[in-house]
Amino acid sequence: MTEIQPWWSNSVFYQVYPRSFQDSNGDGVGDLDGVTSRLDYLADLGVDALWLNPVMVSPMVDHGYDVADPRDVDPLFGGLGALERLIDAAHARNIRVTMDLVPNHSSSQHPWFQAALAAGPGTEQRERYIFRDGTGPGGLHPPNNWVSVFGGHAWTRVVEPDGNPGQWYLHLFDAEQPDLNWENPEIAEDLEKTLRFWLDRGVDGFRIDVAHGMAKPPGLPDMRNPDLPMLTLDDDDPRFNHDDVHDHHRGIRRVLNDYPEAVTIGEIWVFDNEDFAKYLRPDELHLGFNFRLVRAGFDAAEIREAIENSLAAAALADSTPTWCLSNHDVEREVSRYGDGDVGRRRAEAMALVMLALPGTVFVYTGEELGLPNVDLPDEVLQDPTWERSGREERGRDGCRVPMPWSGDRPPYGFSDTADTWLPMPPDWAALTVAAQDADADSTLALYRRAIALRHQRGDVVGRPVEFVDLAPDVVAFRTAGMLCVLNAGASPVPLPAGELLLASAPAVDAVPADAAVWLRLDDH
Ligand code: NOJ
């Protein structure tokens, strides 16, 4: 490959959940100066870039995914100055900084939505959102059967300025997150201002929230299956992936083209490869999150299929594949794979699989420590899903508990107060960064070695991945002079020939169950 590849095409991104990374001012919530103070840790881990979950001004109903002012940083996170300090300090260490961008909806506290409520039906202020009259006598019922991803109806009825119940507005997420009307050109114009505002301040790109949202089909037809479990999106769901969304991505790309070093990464919950690849056409997004590895169980066939499909989807658009095992919306992989020692061993093995693959990798806050999900008591739950689902779905708080840094009890160096925004478990002393620093066999040590070796392997961009059939319950593939072998079965498998570069568990002449190894291939 002679062409120079963009910086992101082989990068390891670290997803910082700012509330949970490091608190610098003792209020129990992480903030941007906290992130800055931990940059050496991230540099040591070997990451190339950060993705910050939303830090814009927000009432924090959905922890920042409800944006009231898209061109300022919330005081909770330290304001704009704190972001500028973080960008400078990260750049000084050669770490890029990307931000979350939320174009599908705003906060109900956004001045636009407040103006829409005050102006009443039929006004241009209402045209920035998706207001409709209800159905049935007196408009008593919602305009269609769409459900919110967080549970309940996707419509809320407003009280009109005359004091009577009136129109309904659409919100695919919480009622405090009204969907914007992307058919109104003002929305794209304002987003352009937002993009330039941050890019001009040195931000290196954006993770685009609900990138398969934004456009809604004309007439807003009913869902065929509104009873599907939440977050189980099917590819025929009229709420998402309407073809007009591609025009919006082209608009975003035209702005980004003025900043050729900046990247866009779409959150795309679309599983048809051809549909997924459309988002990655040369005039749309640079990268798309592919969630197939997140959805795969610890099962050789599922993992191989996830990898093959992720590669195939990226190849269709001649784009870079992306890999992640978790994020702030899903149960942590240690718990998904069985919790306890087994869950941790499997998560370590999967880290080696992910970090062997060509493309862009995303590591989520605390993943490198092997943190499990936390069972939190009802009274501390904050995710809007909990209430909206009628307290049936506990929501995503369990994967968002703050990072343990040091010490033997909460708040483990995360904050000066033990009253952290989510309580930290009493039994995390062995999981802290300090404890794992002192242990050469820790999950953290494995991540550090794997990322360092990945960097040393140099240019793995665009290298083919060739699967090898070694044994049942084994996933093995060669790429860029290396063989990665994952044993997802119950008994050890013989270690193939080759210099052992790295193993997630002791591997003398066999790859143990629930482990993975990297071997250098002689013929490279
Ligand atoms: C996807 C984000 O990752 C999630 O955390 C958020 O709740 C929804 N989009 C709504 O913005």
Side-chain angles (χ1 to χ4, degrees):
M1 188 160 297
T2 47
E3 212 182 309
I4 298 188
Q5 296 295 326
W7 63 266
W8 58 80
S9 57
N10 190 33
S11 285
V12 177
F13 277 71
Y14 189 90
Q15 178 192 350
V16 177
Y17 197 66
R19 297 181 78 82
S20 295
F21 196 65
Q22 175 67 57
D23 175 17
S24 75
N25 63 356
D27 64 359
V29 182
D31 47 49
L32 293 175
D33 283 329
V35 181
T36 304
S37 73
R38 295 293 188 183
L39 278 174
D40 286 337
Y41 167 79
L42 293 168
D44 214 37
L45 183 58
V47 309
D48 304 291
L50 309 183
W51 150 30
L52 302 173
N53 284 100
V55 293
M56 288 114 171
V57 173
S58 165
M60 304 287 169
V61 170
D62 188 21
H63 297 327
Y65 286 101
D66 46 323
V67 178
D69 180 353
R71 294 187 282 278
D72 201 355
V73 173
D74 200 278
L76 184 72
F77 295 129
L80 197 53
L83 182 68
E84 285 167 348
R85 290 190 285 281
L86 171 58
I87 292 172
D88 286 349
H91 285 174
R93 290 166 176 81
N94 240 344
I95 296 177
R96 317 245 182 180
V97 180
T98 65
M99 299 175 83
D100 228 305
L101 187 78
V102 190
N104 178 70
H105 44 266
S106 76
S107 160
S108 57
Q109 296 307 310
H110 191 294
W112 278 356
F113 193 73
Q114 291 300 312
L117 291 180
T123 56
E124 62 182 29
Q125 286 86 337
R126 289 239 162 146
E127 285 304 307
R128 296 187 183 121
Y129 293 90
I130 303 179
F131 279 87
R132 293 286 185 278
D133 293 332
T135 54
L140 192 63
H141 302 298
N144 70 15
N145 74 349
W146 290 11
V147 289
S148 151
V149 174
F150 295 161
H153 281 305
W155 296 93
T156 291
R157 196 169 195 189
V158 300
V159 175
E160 299 296 2
D162 64 7
N164 292 315
Q167 290 196 300
W168 298 71
Y169 67 89
L170 179 71
H171 52 88
L172 295 184
F173 297 90
D174 192 74
E176 309 304 331
Q177 294 167 293
D179 278 52
L180 290 158
N181 171 19
W182 272 83
E183 284 176 21
N184 181 342
E186 208 183 335
I187 306 302
E189 284 159 24
D190 191 71
L191 188 77
E192 173 164 356
K193 277 194 217 157
T194 300
L195 292 168
R196 292 191 191 278
F197 179 89
W198 297 113
L199 292 165
D200 290 341
R201 276 162 186 76
V203 166
D204 299 294
F206 303 96
R207 177 266 191 187
I208 300 189
D209 189 57
V210 208
H212 57 311
M214 297 192 266
K216 312 293 186 297
L220 308 178
D222 272 352
M223 294 174 70
R224 269 192 309 176
N225 193 353
D227 298 324
L228 271 184
M230 275 177 288
L231 294 175
T232 314
L233 308 177
D234 81 56
D235 281 343
D236 293 324
D237 186 333
R239 298 172 302 170
F240 298 103
N241 195 31
H242 183 258
D243 214 44
D244 288 352
V245 73
H246 298 292
D247 286 340
H248 308 322
H249 287 301
R250 280 188 275 269
I252 292 173
R253 182 58 174 266
R254 279 194 292 276
V255 179
L256 266 283
N257 285 343
D258 288 345
Y259 303 82
E261 284 290 297
V263 64
T264 51
I265 312 141
E267 184 205 21
I268 311 172
W269 286 90
V270 170
F271 291 92
D272 177 272
N273 286 348
E274 302 216 336
D275 278 355
F276 181 88
K278 286 185 187 162
Y279 290 83
L280 305 174
R281 288 177 288 201
D283 57 351
E284 297 196 35
L285 293 161
H286 298 104
L287 298 173
F289 275 101
N290 196 309
F291 295 113
R292 286 183 184 271
L293 268 190
V294 174
R295 296 233 282 202
F298 192 75
D299 170 273
E302 284 182 38
I303 292 162
R304 177 167 172 170
E305 198 193 323
I307 297 171
E308 284 177 331
N309 273 294
S310 302
L311 292 168
L316 279 174
D318 201 14
S319 164
T320 303
T322 67
W323 310 101
C324 63
L325 296 172
S326 66
N327 64 34
H328 64 294
D329 289 332
V330 298
E331 188 181 15
R332 284 188 179 272
E333 63 271 45
V334 168
S335 302
R336 294 204 311 270
Y337 299 148
D339 251 328
D341 279 349
V342 172
R344 187 185 40 78
R345 282 202 304 273
R346 292 176 172 173
E348 290 178 348
M350 285 303 293
L352 290 200
V353 170
M354 172 173 77
L355 287 163
L357 289 162
T360 314
V361 173
F362 294 84
V363 175
Y364 171 52
T365 298
E367 172 178 330
E368 76 281 15
L369 302 179
L371 297 185
N373 244 57
V374 179
D375 284 329
L376 294 163
D378 294 1
E379 62 277 10
V380 305
L381 296 181
Q382 306 199 11
D383 184 346
T385 304
W386 172 236
E387 294 297 343
R388 288 199 62 86
S389 68
R391 302 194 163 197
E392 278 187 10
E393 301 275 339
R394 300 190 73 71
R396 302 158 294 176
D397 296 306
C399 68
R400 299 173 174 179
V401 170
M403 280 273 285
W405 291 94
S406 56
D408 56 10
R409 72 180 76 97
Y412 301 107
F414 163 72
S415 174
D416 289 341
T417 173
D419 189 14
T420 51
W421 77 277
L422 286 174
M424 301 178 72
D427 60 350
W428 271 14
L431 290 173
T432 63
V433 170
Q436 298 203 32
D437 262 341
D439 174 4
D441 293 325
S442 66
T443 310
L444 178 58
L446 182 74
Y447 263 87
R448 282 183 179 142
R449 282 198 298 269
I451 293 172
L453 273 172
R454 182 182 171 88
H455 287 318
Q456 281 163 29
R457 285 168 68 212
D459 188 11
V460 295
V461 183
R463 295 303 188 90
V465 173
E466 197 188 318
F467 284 92
V468 192
D469 285 320
L470 283 186
D473 299 325
V474 166
V475 181
F477 57 88
R478 294 195 192 103
T479 188
M482 201 180 86
L483 175 68
C484 175
V485 182
L486 167 78
N487 183 359
S491 32
V493 293
L495 193 66
E499 179 198 342
L500 187 64
L501 292 171
L502 193 57
S504 68
V508 180
D509 45 23
V511 185
D514 301 324
V517 297
W518 288 1
L519 297 153
R520 192 196 305 276
L521 295 175
D522 293 337
D523 58 359
H524 184 51

